[in-house]
Amino acid sequence: MEENHTESHAYFMREAIRLAREGMRSKEGGPFGAVVVKDGKIIGRGNNRVASTNDPTAHAEVVAIREACKNLGSFQLDGCIIYTSCEPCPMCLGAIYWARPEKFFYACTREDAAAIDFDDEFIYKELSLPLTERKIPAKPLLRNEALPVFEEWRVMEDKVVY
């Protein structure tokens, strides 16, 4: 889809916003929705389901990406566009980059989310700190036992590279 397809982009963003409202009203989670589009068709839909599933990773973007990848039979979203009702949090942004869509659009900003008590700024700040200065301690353990697994992966000839 080219940049000049403003009407199409608006259509898909409105669907993401509709999913946000629907999920929020049904108490599944916060007011967030997302869709994944390929060749002008929605192949993945998601709304925030953190509260209804007790899964802190069940953000709208992650739910939509999982559904889209299942429908495509691929762990990559080549040629896809993601529409999300809010600027992605750090986790969702990471998921988007791992899925490798063509691009993504967002409606509300992270500042808008912070204004309704969905503030991810502390995570952005934590990520910029050395591991030793973060609020959740991270301690190395058994690296020498784990490294042989990495070496086995490195030389594996029939691995699926991603």
Side-chain angles (χ1 to χ4, degrees):
M1 211 180 299
E2 294 181 24
E3 287 295 328
N4 61 359
H5 290 136
T6 305
E7 291 292 319
S8 297
H9 292 310
Y11 171 82
F12 294 123
M13 185 59 79
R14 285 186 182 106
E15 177 61 9
I17 294 167
R18 185 191 70 75
L19 289 167
R21 181 177 288 115
E22 184 179 278
M24 173 191 67
R25 287 180 177 172
S26 66
K27 307 282 192 257
E28 291 184 277
F32 305 99
V35 296
V36 179
V37 175
K38 184 168 180 124
D39 299 326
K41 294 181 181 162
I42 296 175
I43 60 167
R45 287 179 169 81
N47 60 279
N48 184 290
R49 298 179 186 163
V50 170
S52 62
T53 62
N54 294 317
D55 179 354
T57 69
H59 289 201
E61 298 91 337
V62 172
V63 172
I65 288 169
R66 287 174 180 165
E67 183 176 288
C69 288
K70 182 178 178 182
N71 288 334
L72 287 175
S74 173
F75 49 77
Q76 304 268 219
L77 295 178
D78 297 326
C80 294
I81 300 173
I82 298 175
Y83 298 84
T84 180
S85 66
C86 186
E87 184 178 350
C89 73
M91 177 186 69
C92 292
L93 188 59
I96 289 168
Y97 271 85
W98 280 117
R100 295 179 176 90
E102 181 180 311
K103 68 180 109 180
F104 72 92
F105 291 91
Y106 63 93
C108 295
T109 66
R110 69 193 212 195
E111 291 80 15
D112 297 329
I116 60 164
D117 297 325
F118 287 95
D119 190 356
D120 298 322
E121 193 57 36
F122 78 98
I123 297 173
Y124 288 104
K125 287 178 183 174
E126 283 284 299
L127 292 174
S128 69
L129 295 173
L131 286 173
T132 57
E133 295 178 25
R134 294 183 186 173
K135 287 185 174 56
I136 298 176
K139 307 283 185 190
L141 181 65
L142 299 180
R143 178 175 181 254
N144 290 336
E145 291 184 32
L147 279 173
V149 179
F150 276 23
E151 178 59 21
E152 186 176 335
W153 171 264
R154 189 183 70 73
V155 299
M156 184 182 288
E157 293 183 14
D158 60 346
K159 64 186 168 207
V160 176
V161 180
Y162 56 97

